[in-house]
Amino acid sequence: MTDASINSLNNQTREAWNATAQVWDEKMGDEGNDFHRYLVRPAIEKLLELKPGERILDIGCGNGLTTRRLASLGAKVTGIDFASEMINNARKRTGYNQELIEYQVLDATDEAALLKLGENNFDAAVSAMALMDMAEIEPLFRALTKLIRPNGCFIFAIQHPCFNSMHTNMAAELIENEREFYTEYSIKVRSYLKPTQKRGLALENQPKPHIYFHRPLHLLLNTAFKAGFLLDGLEESTFPPELAAENSGLNWRLFSEIPPVIIARLRIM
């Protein structure tokens, strides 16, 4: 893509998230949705191995869910998001540990702006379900190798590009054998290898669709390796089986063997 097309996609994405910020804040609240509580947060905290007093950069912080959580565990956290309305909501929701938290409106695709956060200023960086909303990720990976201290890490969670993208669909099939009928759940994958952009909704009542940027794993990870990271931790999270009994409708709670998210830890070489 040309710089002009990337800038256009980035501006459209920012506009969409600013328009959605209030609905998003009402949905996510202080604790987040099921994806955040059961899949994303536990895996990020497991891979982060946080020590009190460490400085963490939260990229694409939204309404501050992860920022506030890490601060409650004793970290000093800087939360950044390019949508100013998201940052406004994050500040409104931050009633505790304010001395440990700083929020900034900052575009994570802008390498020069990122570098102003300070070389070797962070022990680690995290990004909870934001990379697939970024028009380009190369500037972020390059900047992080300078922002994070030696042997520090970057942990990101994204929709699993193999199983949970704009190119996949859930399916349910009634199976009959000699003893019983049962339902078998599967994922239909229409496309994977080609990086694409497609508009979609994260919430049913989202006022304006945003753009999902699909990247296959080899493209995503090779971008990290080229910047100077190595991969030293990986989680593929699914919902606990007991949640399937509480389920209504066809959704990810029914899939115990197919992960909807992937969480990776990258370390500076």
Side-chain angles (χ1 to χ4, degrees), residues 24 33 45 51-52 87 107 120 123 148 167 182 186 212 266 268:
W24 182 262
N33 60 5
E45 292 179 10
K51 298 179 180 61
I87 292 296
D107 186 347
N120 294 334
D123 296 289
I148 299 172
H167 306 295
Y182 64 93
S186 61
Y212 285 99
L266 302 170
I268 296 176

Side-chain angles (χ1 to χ4, degrees), residues 129-153:
M129 306 297 281
L131 291 188
M132 67 271 189
D133 298 329
M134 295 183 187
E136 62 175 340
I137 57 174
E138 290 84 354
L140 171 63
F141 281 93
R142 289 195 301 264
L144 286 174
T145 62
K146 300 178 178 67
L147 297 175
I148 299 172
R149 294 167 184 163
N151 202 41
C153 64

Side-chain angles (χ1 to χ4, degrees), residues 57-180:
L57 177 63
D58 182 10
I59 301 156
C61 68
N63 77 339
L65 270 176
T66 301
T67 306
R68 294 191 300 275
R69 171 67 178 179
L70 296 180
S72 75
L73 298 175
K76 299 176 181 178
V77 193
T78 299
I80 63 171
D81 202 292
F82 70 166
S84 58
E85 292 302 315
M86 286 287 192
I87 292 296
N88 288 339
N89 289 332
R91 287 173 174 149
K92 291 175 184 176
R93 284 196 174 272
T94 303
Y96 300 98
N97 302 307
Q98 293 185 16
E99 72 282 1
L100 298 176
I101 294 174
E102 177 189 8
Y103 292 112
Q104 290 190 33
V105 178
L106 197 156
D107 186 347
T109 70
D110 187 336
E111 187 173 358
L114 287 166
L115 291 176
K116 291 179 182 178
L117 292 170
E119 187 170 351
N120 294 334
N121 196 31
F122 300 97
D123 296 289
V126 300
S127 180
M129 306 297 281
L131 291 188
M132 67 271 189
D133 298 329
M134 295 183 187
E136 62 175 340
I137 57 174
E138 290 84 354
L140 171 63
F141 281 93
R142 289 195 301 264
L144 286 174
T145 62
K146 300 178 178 67
L147 297 175
I148 299 172
R149 294 167 184 163
N151 202 41
C153 64
F154 172 41
I155 297 166
F156 66 83
I158 57 170
Q159 292 181 180
H160 204 305
C162 302
F163 310 119
N164 184 16
S165 76
M166 300 299 287
H167 306 295
T168 63
N169 290 103
M170 297 176 182
E173 182 181 4
L174 184 63
I175 305 295
E176 176 186 1
N177 62 25
E178 294 179 355
R179 297 181 302 278
E180 63 179 345

Side-chain angles (χ1 to χ4, degrees), residues 139-256:
L140 171 63
F141 281 93
R142 289 195 301 264
L144 286 174
T145 62
K146 300 178 178 67
L147 297 175
I148 299 172
R149 294 167 184 163
N151 202 41
C153 64
F154 172 41
I155 297 166
F156 66 83
I158 57 170
Q159 292 181 180
H160 204 305
C162 302
F163 310 119
N164 184 16
S165 76
M166 300 299 287
H167 306 295
T168 63
N169 290 103
M170 297 176 182
E173 182 181 4
L174 184 63
I175 305 295
E176 176 186 1
N177 62 25
E178 294 179 355
R179 297 181 302 278
E180 63 179 345
F181 291 92
Y182 64 93
T183 303
E184 184 175 84
Y185 301 100
S186 61
I187 298 295
K188 178 181 179 181
V189 180
R190 301 186 304 279
S191 178
Y192 170 69
L193 282 175
K194 184 179 180 180
T196 54
Q197 305 90 42
K198 192 172 182 179
R199 295 183 186 278
L201 302 175
L203 303 171
E204 289 184 3
N205 57 341
Q206 187 171 328
K208 188 173 184 178
H210 65 280
I211 304 171
Y212 285 99
F213 296 90
H214 168 76
R215 299 176 179 94
L217 287 174
H218 75 272
L219 179 61
L220 179 67
L221 293 176
N222 281 335
T223 300
F225 300 153
K226 183 178 179 180
F229 285 100
L230 58 82
L231 177 69
D232 77 339
L234 194 66
E235 297 285 328
E236 294 179 290
S237 300
T238 58
F239 285 103
E242 58 268 21
L243 287 186
E246 306 173 11
N247 185 68
S248 62
L250 183 60
N251 62 55
W252 279 107
R253 288 186 174 199
L254 296 169
F255 292 81
S256 60

